[in-house]
Amino acid sequence: MDLDDFETSLDADLSGAGLGPTLSTSEAIHAFDELWWAPRNRGARWMDLIGDYAGEERFVIDGDALVQRVLDDPLLGLAKTNDTSFQLAHALHSLEKILKNFLDRRAVFDVVFWESNGHLTRARSDEHGTASAALARTLLARHLQHNLRNHVAVHVFSSLEDPAWKFYIMQRKPMFVMTSDGGHASGGDPDAILAQRHFVFKLLSSGMTVSVLRDVEFRQLKIFAFVFEGKRERDPNVHLPATVWESVRHAEAAVSRLNTLESLEFPLVPAHGQVDLDGLLRMLLEKLACSVPCDALQQTLVFLFLAHCVLLDGFVPLELRGAPRDSRAADDRISGILARVYAALNDICLDIKTPLPQLDIDGRLFTRLLRFAAGKDAASSTLGTAVLQRMSAMWEVTGRPVSSLDWSALAQLSLPETAPRPPATRPESALLPFDNAVFDAEIGHLHFDASGEMAPAAKDDFVRFNTGTVYRDIHHWHNQLSILPRHQGGESKPVSTAWQRQKELKRAQRFMSRFQKFTESLSGATSTGLQQQIIASVGTSSRALKNAEIRDAARAAAKAKGKVKPPTKKEALLQKIQADKASVRLSDSQKWWSDQLAHIDSLRSRDRQTYLQSISSNKRISGREADPVCALDFRLFEIHLNIVTWISHSSPDRLDVHDSFAVKVMRQALEAYKMPAHSTATLAALDSVLTSLGFQAYLPPLHAAVSMSDTPDRPLSFKFEKLIKSSKSASPVHKWMRVPDGEPVLWQLRVFGEYMDRMFDSRPDKRVQFAPDAWQRKVLDALDADHSILVVAPTSAGKTFISFYAMEKVLRESDDGILVYVAPTKALVNQIAADVHARFRKSRNGKNFWAIHSRDYRVNDPQTCQILVTFNAWLASVQHAHGFTHTFVHHKHRYSHLRKQLYLLDGQPPEEFDGLDDYYSSEKIRFLHPMTLIGWGTSDLPPDFALEASDTLSLYDALIQNKASLPSSVAAALPGLHPVQYFSSNQQQQQFLRQQDILDYESELLTAIRPLFADHLVIPTESALQKIIAHLKDPAIRDAEASRDLNITPSPLEFLANLINLVADLHVAGDLPAILFAFDRQHCEIMARTLLDQLEVAEKRWKATSPVWVQRVRDWEAWQARAKERERAQLRLEKVKLKKGDERGASDPSQRAADSSWESSFDPDAPLEQFSFSGGNSAYLKSELDEDIKDLRWQSVPEWAIKALQRGIAVHHAGMNKAYRSLIERLFRLRFVRVMISTGTLALGINAPARTSVFCGDSPFLTALMYRQCAGRAGRRGYDLLGRVVFYGLPVDRFGRLVMSRLPALTGNFPLSSTLVLRLFNLLEGSDRAATAVRAVSSVLKLPHVAFGSPIGHEQVLHIVRFSIDYLRRIHLLDGVGRPLNLFGITSRLFYTEPSNLALVVLLQSGLVHRMCNQASMTEAKRQFMLLMCHLFGRRNLPPIITRPAKSAGQVVLPPLPSEVEDVLVAHGSVILDTFVSYARTYASHNAVDVLSHAAELPLSARSYAYPGYPASGEFVTSLKDGASECLVRCPFVATSGYNDTFSSVSELTHSARDALNLDTQAIPSMDVFIQQAKTAPAGRMESEKRLNAYLLDFYHHGQVDALVKENGIRRGDIWYSLDDFSLTLRTVQAVLIEMLNAPAQDTASPPHAPAPTARPQSPRSKPDDEDGPLTLGSKPSNLTEEDWKVLEVVSAVVLEFDTAFRKMWA
């Protein structure tokens, strides 16, 4: 949903007024792109399609787009201009490799061909290319249909209007379509491009999301592509003027003629059955005989083409088909005859409906056969006997013998010359010598030639970056602060001035104040405040272990003797004191309760419940220190008051009234039975309640578990409402109180499911302060046994305690044990740290026991803490490689259920909001039974599908109502599923239903209905399942579906206008606090500001029309006018007091209280309660709010956010100020903020317990996983027993898919890269090869696989590491023993940017940066350096249809790199290529069996082209052995297109190497991405498609945020983070250069009035790195050359100027 008009903010005339009455196709494409496709490109999201979007949901791959991607491969010889190659085996391999890339990443997809889209592959510039592409499309499609049917389902439809396609959509519900957008306007046939644009338009406007297959990138185990959100519209054609639509119709008519191939007409061939290859070729010969003239040359060409097909049928193995490419184009007569052959063959293949024989075509082999045959005079010697026999039988169709062919006619042809055979392999480059004991221990068994020599260093005298200086990593990333203490080699801290110390102290005080408040808002599993545990210091691990052994031995000895040591006098005295205190507290509590009862008795009936609620949290009756007698009496009085209210109701027996009160008193009664200190009177009162409700049979088990008081005859402190006539008759006074369902079981299912016992074999355990379930005890046992443990459980299951138990264990065992908590988000880092601070307290001689360490900030000292909380992309290493025992615990049930609801938007303007006091529910929030979310095509239910107790009952009722439609097997199971029958054992045992019972019943029900899914797939509208769904559907939703399309996305206006009613409805229903999830930062802010505006407007309108308000303001103004009079009276009073000797005067609080009035606290500008969603909470006072708001204003929080906060509305996303986020998280827990609008920042483990999760609008980021994470924020354990999920502004199909979808499979992601290898060496050297570092490095090198699910095994990892070491040595980042050198700082600190970090290192080493910075013009030097940095870092591709506006503030398109920069990168690319080609050759030679076996098999179908023991087939096949290229690295299928083991780029190497080598582009630091490759760009992919967005360079020059949004197409919510990342990169480079050159520098402190928008927390012990400004240079030292100094000046100037513009953005 485009709430901020981001996709339509281009300066485009949507009316089409500037267009002529008629348009050419090119003009229509331009208009189409400018008015529609360009805005949609702006809104596209670059995403991991499987991990972050689709998961295991099905999607569609456009078959023609797939074929187009295959044919566009620049290496493939097929359908290329002036090339007769038709390398079918290579094409099939490319096709299967693409599909395998999808399947290996667990994608679920179908391939769909639309006949109307044939133009994608058929549109070629010549007859031969068109015929070749058409035949390739047919053969690839048939290969998919028949040879890959076990892997991929293939469907064929005529067009998007085909009813079969529409039924497919309804049945299969594909999540998106991956297709082609037609490419660049100048890159092909204009008609085909425009027709394809319209195809994409129709998909998107129908609500189908689209992704472009051309842009797909396979990165390790992920699939990245742009995602374009679909949005169903009522009239999508309004986006374009009529003249454009007229051109679209003409273009589609033109391509429809192309699709039918009308230019090549042949006689129809009757349909045939199953045929073999010879039969197929015979049919081809028959067809050609009707159209090809009987020319001697043409006859010979046709004969040899057929012969080459026969040769490929088992006579020519794949390894003989690779040969150098021909030196010139083939004769036009060859192209002409091949065009006719391909057209005829295509026609035949389309006609044959059975699987085709294994036809193979090799155009290059055919050309070689022509060349060979041109010098021969006999077919027998050329082809061999076996081939000639088959050809002779086939040639009989012509009525002429083979001997009649004229071989001499071939001499007429101009045949390509034979290229010389390349050498078998290129000379190997020996590795450089290397010696490192740690690495040698793992890779020493591998044998390499290590006799290489280092290339000479650069000649420039002023270049000092390629010398052998060992690098010491002792500073922070982007400043000069030391990261090590002085005793470990760090530098002394600079002496601070008094002003700096004062500023640091104030900063620390502010942080600790906020942090303490944040800590106090946290609560545990019981929703009560956390109890801090004081843990004593126990010394080092060895000493602690010894003390524990002595203590355990003493205990064991005492136990063996059977003696219990009597308490000492001191201990006995302490015990007596504690007993006396308890007695005093008991007496005080009972007196307090008596006073409360007296006060309640004096209140009006309607005020009693309110007052009772206000004292419910008093420590005398709740919490650990509660008096059990008072607590029990309080609970009984609650029940009594509810019963009295119920009885006094005007319609106590009305169903809704009865259910409300019955559930309430039953829940309270069952809780009361479990409380201690019962007496006969308390039990009698509770028994009377259950008897009145009809549950008297359930009393015995409850009595058996009751805990009686020491004084069982204690009477009640009040008179309980009489519910039983007499103890003898046990007859209820009010018979209408009995549950109306007849059977207690039915009533429990219908209304009491929320309050059923939810424990799973819970038992008390002294290790924790609650009764853990069985699975939780298993976790505790594993932790106690020091096992590695993986726990899988849904949100709200009770996982939080695990980490804190582990922390407590570490803290208690020793003072030097360490626990590292790795959090997925920064927000969670702060919460966990606060949790640790609140739960534990430990004194360690001045050392903190916890710390925070992240890139952004530090709190406390991470070097000396025991619990380190950090945020990082941390790799979960393989536990067995580390020697740990691994335990897996899986618990699949939530503690609380989630009830799904839909807010019905009806397209009508909402009623005017007049405040909460007079608001009545709009009734638009409607219940969604889980079964009603089952859509067509659902074949099964997801593993986490769950029903509430009431859902099971309604489902059973629906089955009974539709019994006649059910299969006999299902109907036969219904009697046993009747709830009374099914739960008969519970009734016999007189037990209430438990959640476990409901889960068992749910399982039986779902098992019974699973057979219904089979019919639902085929005839959903008439299936029994559909009838059941219709029965369960909310009537309001059913009526809405009948009157309008609920899959149409609401307009932004309707979405925002109804927002206030949504929140007000939640308020009225008691379902606040709520989190409203919207997955765009800008949208979150728009929603908050809209709510604020709606509340303020309504409040202003009410104030203007309310006489009560007007009078109140007048009274207050009059009171204000008397202020001086009151001051004089106060002075007179104080004088009188002084004269009487009362020294307290009026300053005494008791005196001031008497002077208070409503006017003294009245604020006419404060939000009124009825126009605010804030919660009234005594734990958070208005004075505290005022203080917090004052602090926020100091932090430069926007005023609208502060105003919204005052009304209980807050926005939470990563771009908001951190102090603001911490505050609203705290206020949300305190229930002051009750409406939180958030992106996914609150989804992962944040302690933000909500009653409701609302999903507002659709987004590609709203995935199956994200839905479950966000929904899990509702109904948190310890807060609510039921959570609610509301869908607002989402299409029905969309949220149905979210609920019913399965989670994506778990995959690993191991960044095995050159930078990682370098950082492993830094770990070793920086720690002086400490034992821990050695073990860590060794464990990485011992991993059995590089990542979970990765095919890269142990041996391959070691080879990659060794060649990465060689590469790092060659670029002077490692020395011969593994010590990091020189520019390691840039490489390591910017590790996440590889290969950009390595490219910058190479450019610095080459001296080019020095030359760039030492030119005469400082302005030009800065411009060129900034341009260079923009090319290397923060790169964003610019869609080709987005151009620079006529009037723009910036360049939009990034200018190209200077040629000299590109030359350096090209040269370095060759070094990288040589290194990793050598790796591939070496690994292949060391593992020849694994690499070469199955190399001649297609990757999916396993069709083999090896032909072992192929028969002798004449002189031609023999000649192939001499001319074949020997490829050890190159895939033999690719080699058939004329390639050997010589590669032009890293991307070519990774794309075309043998599959067994598993080369990944992301693992090789390729320079290809920085080099313009227009000459090698694939056909149809223009150089303009590789343009980069100049947003960083533009911002550097103009500093305008609006221009970045409007011109550069950067989302406003993404700008700050993009600029911040680039700013940190610049500062990192600056800091490393200053450090290397030993230049003087100092931090530029941030001005106090301009804090960062994401303010980082401060610590009393350390200062966050990026709170400081950029480093500023001091004076030039004498030992630094002018050239080096100039580099520092230019870099520092760019850093300062960019940082200045960046700070102005948020100042």
Side-chain angles (χ1 to χ4, degrees), residues 1600-1679:
Q1600 300 176 23
V1601 175
D1602 290 340
L1604 295 185
V1605 175
K1606 187 175 181 180
E1607 298 171 6
N1608 298 83
I1610 311 296
R1611 289 183 178 271
R1612 192 175 295 273
D1614 296 338
I1615 290 176
W1616 192 89
Y1617 275 88
S1618 298
L1619 299 181
D1620 184 52
D1621 283 343
F1622 188 73
S1623 175
L1624 290 178
T1625 299
L1626 288 176
R1627 289 159 62 181
T1628 299
V1629 173
Q1630 178 197 27
V1632 172
L1633 294 180
I1634 289 175
E1635 184 179 340
M1636 282 187 59
L1637 299 175
N1638 297 316
Q1642 61 182 3
D1643 296 340
T1644 303
S1646 301
H1649 62 277
T1654 52
R1656 276 78 180 182
Q1658 310 295 320
S1659 163
R1661 294 185 175 272
S1662 66
K1663 185 166 57 177
D1665 302 333
D1666 56 356
E1667 274 298 301
D1668 304 310
L1671 300 172
T1672 56
L1673 295 176
S1675 57
K1676 185 178 85 67
S1678 58
N1679 64 334

Side-chain angles (χ1 to χ4, degrees), residues 520-797:
E520 291 170 356
S521 71
L522 296 170
S523 58
T526 59
S527 72
T528 57
L530 296 175
Q531 185 84 8
Q532 192 177 58
Q533 301 181 53
I534 300 177
I535 300 175
S537 177
V538 292
T540 62
S541 300
S542 57
R543 193 178 77 189
L545 180 61
K546 183 177 180 180
N547 292 341
E549 291 174 350
I550 295 173
R551 186 167 58 252
D552 292 343
R555 289 175 179 172
K559 185 176 181 181
K561 294 179 180 179
K563 297 180 180 179
V564 179
K565 185 179 179 180
T568 63
K569 291 183 178 180
K570 180 179 179 181
E571 291 173 340
L573 180 60
L574 289 174
Q575 291 174 2
K576 183 177 184 304
I577 293 173
Q578 293 295 330
D580 292 341
K581 287 183 177 179
S583 176
V584 171
R585 282 199 304 269
L586 178 63
S587 175
D588 176 65
S589 298
Q590 292 174 350
K591 181 179 184 303
W592 173 85
W593 175 235
S594 298
D595 294 341
Q596 299 305 314
L597 287 174
H599 179 69
I600 292 172
D601 191 53
S602 67
L603 298 175
R604 295 176 300 179
S605 298
R606 62 185 182 184
D607 296 332
R608 293 179 179 179
Q609 288 279 12
T610 304
Y611 183 77
L612 207 63
Q613 181 65 28
S614 69
I615 65 171
S616 61
S617 58
N618 190 284
K619 64 179 182 180
R620 298 176 179 85
I621 55 177
S622 69
R624 298 180 181 87
E625 299 180 2
D627 173 28
V629 173
C630 288
L632 180 58
D633 276 14
F634 176 83
R635 179 52 51 85
L636 286 169
F637 189 78
E638 272 189 311
I639 299 172
H640 160 77
L641 204 57
N642 282 322
I643 291 175
V644 170
T645 307
W646 186 7
I647 293 172
S648 62
H649 195 280
S650 59
S651 303
D653 57 345
R654 200 176 70 205
L655 184 61
D656 60 332
V657 176
H658 188 285
D659 286 346
S660 174
F661 281 102
V663 167
K664 189 180 298 184
V665 298
M666 176 65 82
R667 175 174 58 86
Q668 293 173 338
L670 293 180
E671 290 176 356
Y673 273 114
K674 298 176 183 179
M675 297 175 72
H678 273 283
S679 67
T680 305
T682 60
L683 283 181
L686 292 173
D687 291 350
S688 68
V689 174
L690 265 67
T691 301
S692 299
L693 294 174
F695 283 78
Q696 59 271 21
Y698 291 73
L699 293 177
L702 294 174
H703 286 178
V706 161
S707 172
M708 296 298 291
S709 169
D710 295 336
T711 55
D713 297 331
R714 183 189 78 253
L716 279 175
S717 54
F718 62 93
K719 184 179 180 181
F720 195 85
E721 178 70 19
K722 185 176 181 180
L723 299 176
I724 302 298
K725 293 181 179 179
S726 67
S727 58
K728 294 181 179 180
S729 65
S731 177
V733 174
H734 309 287
K735 294 183 178 181
W736 49 262
M737 287 183 65
R738 186 178 182 86
V739 294
D741 301 78
E743 293 286 346
V745 165
L746 298 179
W747 181 83
Q748 291 179 71
L749 287 174
R750 186 172 62 83
V751 297
F752 203 64
E754 187 177 342
Y755 305 103
M756 292 177 182
D757 186 349
R758 296 167 184 271
M759 301 302 176
F760 293 88
D761 189 22
S762 301
R763 298 175 188 172
D765 193 302
K766 63 180 181 180
R767 293 174 290 185
V768 290
Q769 297 178 357
F770 62 96
D773 293 342
W775 71 272
Q776 292 171 319
R777 294 195 301 276
K778 185 177 179 181
V779 171
L780 294 172
D781 294 340
L783 289 173
D784 286 343
D786 289 330
H787 288 184
S788 169
I789 182 168
L790 172 63
V791 180
V792 177
T795 56
S796 183

Side-chain angles (χ1 to χ4, degrees), residues 352-629:
I352 297 176
K353 305 306 179 186
T354 57
L356 294 175
Q358 288 198 1
L359 170 69
D360 194 5
I361 302 174
D362 188 330
R364 300 188 67 255
L365 185 72
F366 171 61
T367 303
R368 293 161 70 188
L369 178 59
L370 291 180
R371 187 186 305 116
F372 186 87
K376 305 294 179 181
D377 57 0
S380 58
S381 61
T382 300
L383 301 177
T385 304
V387 175
L388 185 59
Q389 287 177 351
R390 291 174 62 178
M391 287 302 303
S392 297
M394 196 183 307
W395 199 250
E396 291 176 355
V397 173
T398 65
R400 293 180 293 272
V402 172
S403 59
S404 65
L405 293 170
D406 184 5
W407 295 89
S408 63
L410 296 175
Q412 305 173 30
L413 298 174
S414 174
L415 294 170
E417 298 177 2
T418 304
R421 179 180 179 179
T425 57
R426 215 168 53 173
E428 297 285 346
S429 56
L431 301 182
L432 297 176
F434 182 75
D435 181 21
N436 183 284
V438 177
F439 279 77
D440 288 346
E442 304 299 332
I443 62 178
H445 67 284
L446 302 177
H447 301 290
F448 303 102
D449 178 8
S451 60
E453 296 182 358
M454 181 74 76
K459 301 296 184 182
D460 298 310
D461 294 334
F462 55 83
V463 179
R464 299 167 47 190
F465 297 151
N466 52 11
T467 58
T469 307
V470 176
Y471 183 87
R472 297 184 67 230
D473 192 11
I474 60 173
H475 294 96
H476 283 291
W477 285 21
H478 24 74
N479 61 30
Q480 292 296 292
L481 297 177
S482 176
I483 59 176
L484 294 176
R486 186 175 182 181
H487 69 277
Q488 292 183 356
E491 300 171 356
S492 301
K493 291 184 178 180
V495 178
S496 301
T497 64
W499 177 84
Q500 289 173 327
R501 289 194 297 271
Q502 181 71 12
K503 181 181 177 181
E504 179 68 18
L505 179 60
K506 288 183 178 179
R507 194 186 317 187
Q509 289 172 340
R510 285 196 301 269
F511 166 72
M512 289 308 298
S513 174
R514 290 196 301 266
F515 189 75
Q516 186 63 36
K517 291 178 181 178
F518 187 87
T519 298
E520 291 170 356
S521 71
L522 296 170
S523 58
T526 59
S527 72
T528 57
L530 296 175
Q531 185 84 8
Q532 192 177 58
Q533 301 181 53
I534 300 177
I535 300 175
S537 177
V538 292
T540 62
S541 300
S542 57
R543 193 178 77 189
L545 180 61
K546 183 177 180 180
N547 292 341
E549 291 174 350
I550 295 173
R551 186 167 58 252
D552 292 343
R555 289 175 179 172
K559 185 176 181 181
K561 294 179 180 179
K563 297 180 180 179
V564 179
K565 185 179 179 180
T568 63
K569 291 183 178 180
K570 180 179 179 181
E571 291 173 340
L573 180 60
L574 289 174
Q575 291 174 2
K576 183 177 184 304
I577 293 173
Q578 293 295 330
D580 292 341
K581 287 183 177 179
S583 176
V584 171
R585 282 199 304 269
L586 178 63
S587 175
D588 176 65
S589 298
Q590 292 174 350
K591 181 179 184 303
W592 173 85
W593 175 235
S594 298
D595 294 341
Q596 299 305 314
L597 287 174
H599 179 69
I600 292 172
D601 191 53
S602 67
L603 298 175
R604 295 176 300 179
S605 298
R606 62 185 182 184
D607 296 332
R608 293 179 179 179
Q609 288 279 12
T610 304
Y611 183 77
L612 207 63
Q613 181 65 28
S614 69
I615 65 171
S616 61
S617 58
N618 190 284
K619 64 179 182 180
R620 298 176 179 85
I621 55 177
S622 69
R624 298 180 181 87
E625 299 180 2
D627 173 28
V629 173

Side-chain angles (χ1 to χ4, degrees), residues 60-72 95 98 110-124 133-134 136-138 140-141 144 154-159 177-182 196 199 213-214 259:
V60 163
I61 295 180
D62 182 347
D64 281 293
L66 180 62
V67 173
Q68 182 187 30
R69 175 152 176 156
V70 171
L71 298 185
D72 282 350
L95 173 73
I98 293 171
D110 293 344
V111 175
V112 171
F113 285 90
W114 288 275
E115 283 300 328
S116 60
N117 279 8
H119 55 267
L120 284 177
T121 51
R122 293 168 178 161
R124 291 297 187 270
R137 176 183 189 258
T138 300
L140 292 177
L144 279 167
V154 181
H155 305 270
V156 180
F157 306 108
S158 62
S159 66
V177 172
M178 183 173 284
T179 184
S180 168
D181 65 351
Q196 191 62 23
F199 177 79
L213 180 59
R214 182 192 64 239
N259 289 338

